[in-house]
Amino acid sequence: MRDLGTGFGYLLKGQRWVAGHGRWFGFGLLPGLITLVLYVGALIGLAYGADDFVAWATPFADDWSEAWLAVFRGFLVFLVFALGLLLAVITFTAVTLLIGQPFYESLSEQVDKDKSPDGTAPESGLPLLRELWISARDSLRIVVRAAAWAVLLFALGFIPFLGQTVVPAIGFGVTGFFLTQELTSVALQRRRVEVREQLVMMRSRRLLIWGFGVPLAVSFLIPFVAVFLMPGAVAGATLMVRDLLGEDGDEGEDEGSGTAGDTALAGPDVQHPGAR
């Protein structure tokens, strides 16, 4: 259970870091603002079109009594919008990271330089276009996985009682996991850690990942909050990666999250950048 608190601590540390570096906070807001405008427009369109979509998809209910028809289709409209909102929360970070790759890459590098004893940051050594392609490809993979989970949870939501209690809790856990993977990928891609290796690392420390990602997922449900938390979330995810890979030395051990045992959990293919 200690990992839950440690994960939440990284989220707070990231917010404190950007609060102390105001220029980077403003710099990191731009991609989130662009994505927010796009998502708000999509959700408004969904809200206006959900009635017509549900009516088109349920022609068998046209002859029902007006009261039952209103209840049935009203519930389906709610579920359709809820699914759209869940997909928006799950994919917001991936789309924002894709749009803001150069912004968040620079922010993450600055965090690494600030925390590194020699003031340097790991570099992938890849051309910019290659980095953008890898980021887009990996983001698409994450979105596909997240969408599959969203559809499954949407279907499970029809189960009485469980659909209104257990399923939403699972949804926050799934969302928090994918949010954290998306955010840590900024720092991990610069270290040439592939998506498969990232998943090994995330799954080996699920409580840590949930401690970071679930509070973030809950806060993202509040309008506009995601935009303002994104810069700090990227900074916090970078700090967590440094400790997971043992790059902070004794400092990571003091916090219980950067030991050699943690590095081993990342899998045999994950190498420390200094070994390249």
Side-chain angles (χ1 to χ4, degrees):
M1 296 300 291
R2 180 183 179 184
D3 269 356
L4 285 173
T6 303
F8 184 63
Y10 286 125
L11 184 59
L12 295 180
K13 288 177 185 177
Q15 302 305 323
R16 286 199 297 267
W17 190 91
V18 294
H21 299 76
R23 181 173 70 89
W24 287 102
F25 176 70
F27 187 69
L29 285 179
L30 295 177
L33 289 172
I34 295 171
T35 309
L36 179 65
V37 171
L38 296 176
Y39 271 62
V40 167
L43 288 174
I44 290 175
L46 179 62
Y48 276 104
D51 286 335
D52 293 335
F53 172 76
V54 168
W56 170 82
T58 57
F60 58 85
D62 289 341
D63 297 330
W64 291 10
S65 67
E66 185 174 343
W68 281 110
L69 182 63
V71 171
F72 175 69
R73 285 183 171 169
F75 177 67
L76 289 182
V77 167
F78 169 78
L79 286 180
V80 168
F81 189 79
L83 175 61
L85 187 60
L86 176 61
L87 286 173
V89 171
I90 290 176
T91 61
F92 182 89
T93 303
V95 175
T96 303
L97 290 175
L98 182 59
I99 293 175
Q101 173 69 14
F103 295 86
Y104 294 133
E105 184 74 23
S106 298
L107 192 157
S108 179
E109 284 185 8
Q110 186 60 39
V111 173
D112 271 325
K113 291 177 181 178
D114 187 54
K115 295 299 180 180
S116 176
D118 57 2
T120 62
E123 297 180 0
S124 67
L126 298 174
L128 177 60
L129 289 179
R130 176 65 177 168
E131 287 187 348
L132 291 175
W133 161 247
I134 292 175
S135 177
R137 180 198 65 191
D138 291 349
S139 294
L140 179 60
R141 289 175 177 174
I142 295 172
V143 168
V144 169
R145 289 190 178 98
W149 271 98
V151 172
L152 175 61
L153 293 172
F154 175 74
L156 293 176
F158 287 95
I159 301 176
F161 183 71
L162 292 179
Q164 294 74 49
T165 55
V166 177
V167 173
I170 295 175
F172 279 118
V174 171
T175 303
F177 183 91
F178 283 115
L179 283 178
T180 306
Q181 185 187 1
E182 291 160 4
L183 290 164
T184 54
S185 68
V186 177
L188 289 171
Q189 284 172 6
R190 280 191 290 108
R191 291 159 169 84
R192 305 289 291 274
V193 180
E194 297 293 333
V195 169
R196 185 175 300 176
E197 298 163 352
Q198 292 176 24
L199 285 171
V200 172
M201 182 184 297
M202 300 294 105
R203 289 167 180 164
S204 67
R205 299 293 298 277
R206 281 188 174 89
L207 290 179
L208 180 72
I209 302 310
W210 286 334
F212 183 93
V214 172
L216 195 62
V218 173
S219 65
F220 275 16
L221 294 177
I222 305 173
F224 307 112
V225 168
V227 174
F228 293 99
L229 291 185
M230 274 296 291
V234 172
T238 303
L239 295 174
M240 183 161 62
V241 166
R242 291 184 60 82
D243 279 358
L244 284 172
L245 296 180
E247 295 176 5
D248 283 338
D250 292 336
E251 180 183 347
E253 294 179 7
D254 291 341
E255 295 178 5
S257 55
T259 63
D262 292 339
T263 306
L265 288 171
D269 294 329
V270 180
Q271 301 178 8
H272 190 282
R276 298 190 182 279

